[in-house]
């Protein structure tokens, strides 16, 4: 089996060998359905492996459920972290899976998703079934069911609140879907917090303490250093205890995510073997429970919790330049944007200036063009999300004076804001090549800016800013064309290779400029 996005049909013999070896590195890349019991498992399930004639293999948990299987209670396949396999693909199926993963069906429905992708519902469903084994609605329902199972396991919220926090339209639908996925009613699923659980009262802001699952190893120090080095005043707060707080733009207002890095480091230090999973402790304060899923999706992108470090190490570890870096930081992650628009506009402000200067300019932008505050109490020290339409309405001269920019930079900033309000799609589910082409047509946006936006906003694991000064220094200062040639064998993970080459610089910057 190759480390690429799974597609039907899976190779039966290869899957059976991997499952027989109980290798956790394959968890989430395929699932085992057992016809004699009607359950599905992760490949590493400790139960005795069934006979080959009783096995079916699927590329997704949703495909298992669509075929009538329910989740194994022993290996808990629904607790497997997500996968970034689909992020390496720019085709229709890859874009659809990414959008569904980020809640598109919850927000606009299957019909709306098809319109966004410029295809018919029938064609979208056919393509997803062919490659993922399940249609868009089944993928969305499985996403909700797995989220609800995690909330049942980790919080003391009443089941009715969990239903709506996970995106279900009614308690009845919640019960039906959970029975389909787990074989029992939600009330029969075990709770760590006990049955006498209670959630926030109607006058309280929901606060959730979660452990978001990810694959080990996880380089907590490098990820925190990257977040600190790029922290925006008014949008990020670096705590004296080593924690970081981040304002998130949720549908109901501004939410706050607090990452407890001392605990993350301790947890990550106990699990360093490829194939194991760990829980990253994160506290979310939300405007409303319905914002739980959108906020969790943002945090997972920011902390790159769906990455597969074994897959990345396999792809990059054979290169003589990268091998020592990968060995030193086997769990290095590539943090993505909390807001595609904020990141794109901030990237323009960061052109040809230091990280510290870029943060200052981004802080001015966040303060000057913050949307009206409608967030949680803890978010009072934060600015709301950017009002991109307000930026587009400003003249270049006004932006230059308000932010302290050169006229050319102000014109580029305004042009990008106009393009974004005019429909330029740079979200994680966008057509990446189209987005790159449209960005490149804007005056003042060159290859470096395009690739930085592709890396952070589009979430492209193969984005590669070949002209980046720090990157080129780490490579021995080649010309950009030669830097592209050097990285040819790193595809489709040139973005992770870039993060490895930046890592020392970012850690130094985080210590020097602790925001």
């Amino acid at each position: 089996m190759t480390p690429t996005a799974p597609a039907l049909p899976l190779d039966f013999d290869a899957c059976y060998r991997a499952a027989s070896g109980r290798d956790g590195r394959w968890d989430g890349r395929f699932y085992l359905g057992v016809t004699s019991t009607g359950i599905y498992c992760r490949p590493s399930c400790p139960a005795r492996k069934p006979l080959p004639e009783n096995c079916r293999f699927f590329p997704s948990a949703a495909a298992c459920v669509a075929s009538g299987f329910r989740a194994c209670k022993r290996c808990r396949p629904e607790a497997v972290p997500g996968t970034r396999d689909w992020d390496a693909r720019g085709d229709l199926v890859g874009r659809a899976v990414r959008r569904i993963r980020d809640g598109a069906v919850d927000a606009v429905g299957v019909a709306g998703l098809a319109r966004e992708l410029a295809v018919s519902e029938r064609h979208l469903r056919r393509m997803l079934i062919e490659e993922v084994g399940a249609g868009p609605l089944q993928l969305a329902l499985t996403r909700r069911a797995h989220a609800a199972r995690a909330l049942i396991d980790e919080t003391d919220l009443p089941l009715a609140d969990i239903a709506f926090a996970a995106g279900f339209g009614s308690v009845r639908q919640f019960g039906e879907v959970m029975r389909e996925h787990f074989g029992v009613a939600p009330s029969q699923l075990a709770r760590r917090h006990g049955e006498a659980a209670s959630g926030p009262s109607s006058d309280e802001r929901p606060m959730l303490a979660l452990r978001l699952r990810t694959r080990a190893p996880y380089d907590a120090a490098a990820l925190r250093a990257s977040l600190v080095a790029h922290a925006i005043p008014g949008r990020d707060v670096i705590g004296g205890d080593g924690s970081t707080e981040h304002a998130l733009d949720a549908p109901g207002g501004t939410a706050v995510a607090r990452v407890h890095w001392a605990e993350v480091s301790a947890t990550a230090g106990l699990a360093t073997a490829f194939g194991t999973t760990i829980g990253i402790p994160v506290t979310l304060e939300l405007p409303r429970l319905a914002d739980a899923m959108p906020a969790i999706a943002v945090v997972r992108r920011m902390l790159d919790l769906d990455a597969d470090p074994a897959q990345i190490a396999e792809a990059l570890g054979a290169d003589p330049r990268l091998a020592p870096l990968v060995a030193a930081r086997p769990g290095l992650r590539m943090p993505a944007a909390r807001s595609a628009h904020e990141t794109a506009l901030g990237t323009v402000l960061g052109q040809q200036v230091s990280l510290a200067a870029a943060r200052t300019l981004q802080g001015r932008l966040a303060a000057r063009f913050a949307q009206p505050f409608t967030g949680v109490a803890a978010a009072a020290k934060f600015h709301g999300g950017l009002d991109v339409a307000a930026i587009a309405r400003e003249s270049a001269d006004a932006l230059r004076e308000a932010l302290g920019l050169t006229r050319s930079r102000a014109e580029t900033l305004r042009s990008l804001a106009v393009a974004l309000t005019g429909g330029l799609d740079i979200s994680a589910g966008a057509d990446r090549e189209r987005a790159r082409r449209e960005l490149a047509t804007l005056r003042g946006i060159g290859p470096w800016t395009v690739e930085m936006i592709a890396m952070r906003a589009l979430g492209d694991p193969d984005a590669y800013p070949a002209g980046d000064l720090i990157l080129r220094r780490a490579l021995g200062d080649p010309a950009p064309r030669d830097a592209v040639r050097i990285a040819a064998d790193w595809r489709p993970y040139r973005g992770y290779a870039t993060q490895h080459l930046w890592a020392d610089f970012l850690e130094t910057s985080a210590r020097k400029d602790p925001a």
Side-chain angles (χ1 to χ4, degrees):
M1 297 180 65
T2 57
T4 57
L8 292 176
L10 295 170
D11 184 293
F12 184 94
D13 291 338
C15 288
Y16 192 79
R17 286 196 302 271
S20 297
R22 295 180 174 84
D23 191 341
R25 291 176 296 178
W26 294 102
D27 288 353
R29 293 168 69 180
F30 72 87
Y31 296 82
L32 163 64
V34 185
T35 58
S36 57
T37 62
I39 66 169
Y40 75 92
C41 304
R42 59 172 81 187
S44 65
C45 183
R48 183 167 62 91
K49 281 298 174 283
L51 296 173
E53 57 264 30
N54 293 330
C55 294
R56 292 181 62 190
F57 296 103
F58 300 89
S60 67
C64 297
V65 176
S67 295
F69 294 90
R70 64 185 185 279
C72 174
K73 295 179 181 179
R74 186 170 182 180
C75 70
R76 296 284 303 275
E78 78 283 354
V80 174
T83 175
R84 289 208 67 187
D85 283 343
W86 299 105
D87 291 342
R89 292 177 52 163
D91 61 0
L92 172 64
V93 173
R95 292 168 57 205
V97 171
R98 291 196 295 274
R99 286 181 184 263
I100 294 169
R101 180 185 64 194
D102 291 341
V105 173
D106 296 343
V108 299
V110 175
L113 173 62
R115 284 194 300 271
E116 290 179 356
L117 296 171
V119 297
S120 68
E121 290 182 57
R122 180 179 179 181
H123 181 66
L124 175 62
R125 184 174 184 276
R126 180 176 62 82
M127 292 296 294
L128 286 171
I129 289 175
E130 284 182 1
E131 295 210 39
V132 192
L137 182 57
Q138 182 63 67
L139 289 169
L141 290 175
T142 297
R143 171 182 175 271
R144 294 174 197 167
H146 289 183
R149 185 67 184 93
L151 293 174
I152 289 172
D153 198 37
E154 298 186 21
T155 74
D156 59 359
L157 292 172
L159 290 177
D161 286 350
I162 287 175
F164 294 109
F168 289 100
S170 68
V171 174
R172 179 179 178 180
Q173 183 196 44
F174 170 55
E176 292 173 349
V177 172
M178 296 299 280
R179 286 187 188 92
E180 181 184 23
H181 281 72
F182 303 107
V184 297
S187 59
Q188 295 179 270
L189 294 169
R191 302 197 69 163
R192 291 182 187 172
H193 291 264
E195 293 298 329
S198 61
S201 64
S202 59
D203 59 345
E204 292 179 322
R205 298 290 189 177
M207 183 174 289
L208 302 178
L210 303 173
R211 286 187 172 272
L212 303 180
R213 307 299 293 177
T214 191
R215 294 174 179 83
Y218 189 84
D219 192 332
L223 197 287
R224 182 186 180 276
S226 183
L227 293 177
V228 170
H230 294 94
I232 300 175
R235 294 285 283 170
D236 305 286
V237 172
I238 311 304
D241 60 352
S243 65
T244 60
E245 292 181 277
H246 310 277
L248 311 178
D249 304 327
T254 302
V256 173
R258 189 168 195 261
V259 186
H260 311 273
W261 288 105
E263 192 174 349
V264 173
S265 296
T267 301
L270 296 175
T272 58
F274 290 118
T276 57
T277 60
I278 58 175
I280 303 298
V282 175
T283 300
L284 292 176
E285 189 171 354
L286 306 166
R288 55 183 187 172
L289 275 175
D291 294 316
M293 289 299 291
I296 290 171
V298 172
V299 173
R300 293 197 68 86
R301 287 197 302 271
M302 285 182 64
L303 304 184
D304 196 13
L305 298 184
D306 291 327
D308 187 336
Q311 202 170 354
I312 295 164
E314 179 185 351
L316 302 180
D319 185 277
R321 292 176 184 266
L322 297 179
L325 303 180
V326 173
R329 294 186 173 89
L332 190 70
R333 304 303 167 102
M334 189 179 85
R338 80 182 122 206
S339 162
H341 289 183
E342 175 188 81
T343 295
L345 294 166
T347 300
V348 169
L349 295 178
Q351 292 173 339
Q352 299 177 332
V353 298
S354 67
L355 269 177
R359 287 199 303 268
T360 298
L361 294 174
Q362 291 161 0
R364 291 174 187 169
L365 185 73
R368 175 69 175 79
F369 294 101
Q371 295 183 24
F373 180 80
T374 57
V376 299
K381 56 188 174 184
F382 294 97
H383 300 307
L386 284 179
D387 186 342
V388 180
I391 299 173
R393 290 193 297 268
E394 291 280 2
S395 68
D397 285 336
L399 290 172
R400 178 177 59 81
E401 294 178 5
L403 303 177
L405 305 175
T406 63
R407 181 172 180 79
S408 61
R409 189 79 74 248
E411 289 175 344
T412 301
L413 185 72
R414 182 180 180 279
S415 295
L416 178 56
V418 169
L420 292 172
T421 56
L424 171 58
D425 186 2
I426 56 170
S427 66
D431 182 333
R432 292 172 180 160
E433 293 314 308
R434 178 178 177 179
R436 280 181 164 96
R437 289 194 302 270
E438 293 185 8
L439 285 167
T441 64
L442 301 177
R443 184 177 180 181
I445 292 185
W448 179 86
T449 304
V450 169
E451 289 304 303
M452 290 297 293
I453 293 173
M455 180 183 293
R456 300 298 189 218
L458 292 166
D460 185 354
D462 199 40
Y464 185 60
D468 183 80
L469 179 61
I470 304 304
L471 172 66
R472 289 171 56 200
R473 284 178 180 171
L475 291 175
D477 206 26
R481 180 179 299 178
D482 292 329
V484 171
R485 178 184 52 78
I486 290 170
D489 291 337
W490 304 344
R491 308 192 76 164
Y493 295 115
R494 292 184 300 175
Y496 285 94
T498 300
Q499 201 70 33
H500 274 289
L501 294 165
W502 280 343
D504 288 340
F505 169 77
L506 290 174
E507 288 192 2
T508 301
S509 297
R511 289 194 298 267
K512 184 187 305 181
D513 303 307

